[in-house]
Amino acid sequence: MPALDLTATSADLTRTICDIPSVSGDETTLADLIFAEVSALPHLEVYRDGDTIVARTTQGRAQRVAIAGHIDTVPINGNVPTRDIEIDGEPFIWGRGTVDMKGGVAVQLKLAAELVAPRVDITWMWYDHEEVDADLNGLTRLARTRPDLFAADFAILGEPSNGEVEGGCNGNLRAIVRTHGVRSHSARAWIGQNAIHSAAPVLARLAEYRPRDVPVEGLVYREGLNAVRISGGVAGNVIPDLCEIEVNYRFAPSRDAAEAEQHMRDVFAGFDVEIVDLAVGARPGLDAPLAQEFVAAVGAEPRPKYGWTDVARFSALGVPAVNYGPGDPHLAHHDEERVPVGQIDAVERGLRAWLSGS
């Protein structure tokens, strides 16, 4: 397994770390390499919790910025190793993780090595298990064991944002809506009650649902309510007595957890609804002085983040946070995932200039 060369370009680092498979649950090899490299840097104080690595400058600056990125990816589907491609004459790096979010991680690793005396103290975080259930997330674990490491005046998540600043994020709720019936032989269907047929009103409500566009502190968040999985059936000759529809609700950061859950129960009133996962969003946080300095320094026009990201974890701790990283979020998890080399370079320049005060 190759060592990580933190003197390489951010683009070359992206290629290297993308070629090291790190699907959620299999991050140890990459985590070991990151830990070995940053532990050798004398200007950083390094802490490891499982496959999450934290490296901090301790310059005694008046302000501290946390900069985080996850090292796991969704499953590989024939898109590793990476390869270089061109689209309309523009160079891209193609492959799993290039967008979500190893391009951002590469920039963070390079700057962590080179910014020996930044104008603010920096807490660098590289963490595991972001792409799976929230209770497995490395930052969830770290918040329990070392909440002091989250102390900061401002936070940046290197999630893909096309090199623009995306403030806050939508919340994310998953629910199971169940319909019940009575089993019988399919030759005598009238004896039973078909739970799959009873799911038709649930699907109708979803088809008729019109999601909101919600202004929050100057940014407009788009909500969404969608069926993402449906299951039911016992055997080819049995009328099913249970059908389950998994519904995903993306809700604006103006709603809290209780409001999001109540909305789901209102939409599916009369049905059996179980909430199985719920993570509140994060308000934009762009009114914080450091956030305003950062936006001005990188010359970006703030936009809303429609997906859920770990900015919400920082926001819940009172730390304003934004998303800023290379890559088109529409290509996250896509089999044609690819990142423009120019965006990697631009994000590195923007962060370097702001953090160094140059």
Side-chain angles (χ1 to χ4, degrees):
M1 190 62 65
L4 298 183
D5 179 4
L6 301 190
T7 67
T9 67
S10 290
D12 282 341
L13 269 173
T14 299
R15 296 179 181 94
T16 299
I17 63 177
C18 286
D19 287 344
I20 300 169
S22 60
V23 174
S24 302
D26 189 28
E27 298 98 326
T28 300
T29 298
L30 181 54
D32 287 346
L33 291 171
I34 291 172
F35 182 71
E37 293 303 318
V38 298
S39 294
L41 299 170
H43 64 283
L44 294 176
E45 176 184 277
V46 181
Y47 173 80
R48 181 169 182 174
D49 183 319
D51 288 332
T52 291
I53 295 103
V54 179
R56 305 167 73 242
T57 66
T58 53
Q59 303 281 322
R61 306 299 196 213
Q63 295 173 303
R64 177 172 291 276
V65 174
I67 303 178
H70 64 83
I71 63 173
D72 62 321
T73 72
V74 296
I76 293 165
N77 189 25
N79 44 10
V80 168
T82 56
R83 65 174 188 258
D84 292 313
I85 63 173
E86 278 196 7
I87 299 176
D88 296 328
E90 182 178 5
F92 284 74
I93 304 171
W94 174 97
R96 175 62 78 225
T98 52
V99 171
D100 193 10
M101 56 162 284
K102 290 182 175 180
V105 167
V107 169
Q108 293 164 4
L109 285 168
K110 183 168 181 62
L111 293 180
E114 295 182 358
L115 295 179
V116 175
R119 70 180 187 91
V120 293
D121 270 317
I122 306 172
T123 300
W124 302 98
M125 294 177 162
W126 299 282
Y127 61 100
D128 58 293
H129 284 90
E130 191 271 348
E131 298 290 6
V132 288
D133 287 350
D135 60 345
L136 298 174
N137 188 298
L139 292 187
T140 301
R141 185 177 64 250
L142 194 66
R144 289 194 300 263
T145 59
R146 289 293 305 272
D148 56 298
L149 294 177
F150 288 82
D153 300 284
F154 179 53
I156 300 168
L157 269 290
E159 290 282 357
S161 64
N162 270 321
E164 301 291 340
V165 174
E166 293 185 333
C169 68
N170 273 335
N172 183 27
L173 180 153
R174 289 188 302 114
I176 304 297
V177 182
R178 295 185 176 90
T179 56
H180 301 275
V182 177
R183 290 193 194 187
S184 74
H185 197 295
S186 61
R188 300 171 184 83
W190 61 89
I191 302 299
Q193 181 181 343
N194 195 312
I196 293 177
H197 294 182
S198 298
V202 175
L203 299 178
R205 291 184 195 185
L206 285 164
E208 294 164 3
Y209 185 86
R210 294 296 175 264
R212 305 184 306 162
D213 288 344
V214 185
V216 182
E217 298 174 10
L219 300 181
V220 178
Y221 292 83
R222 180 176 299 173
E223 296 191 328
L225 185 69
N226 292 281
V228 293
R229 183 181 62 86
I230 186 166
S231 63
V234 180
N237 60 353
V238 177
I239 297 301
D241 59 345
L242 177 66
C243 182
E244 295 184 330
I245 303 101
E246 183 174 340
V247 178
N248 183 222
Y249 178 35
R250 301 292 176 144
F251 57 96
S254 54
R255 288 195 197 267
D256 63 20
E259 291 169 333
E261 179 174 346
Q262 188 58 52
H263 183 67
M264 285 293 290
R265 296 194 184 282
D266 289 344
V267 171
F268 299 108
F271 290 96
D272 176 4
V273 177
E274 179 189 1
I275 308 301
V276 294
D277 192 29
L278 199 167
V280 296
R283 302 183 80 88
L286 294 170
D287 54 348
L290 272 178
Q292 293 176 356
E293 288 179 24
F294 172 68
V295 170
V298 300
E301 181 69 28
R303 301 174 181 178
K305 188 69 169 179
Y306 296 132
W308 187 92
T309 75
D310 281 301
V311 294
R313 299 186 187 280
F314 288 94
S315 179
L317 294 169
V319 180
V322 299
N323 305 278
Y324 178 65
D328 182 349
H330 290 96
L331 291 174
H333 304 183
H334 198 288
D335 285 344
E336 294 300 321
E337 195 172 347
R338 59 190 182 271
V339 63
V341 173
Q343 274 190 17
I344 298 173
D345 295 340
V347 168
E348 180 190 331
R349 287 195 303 272
L351 279 173
R352 183 189 299 276
W354 182 64
L355 292 169
S356 65
S358 60

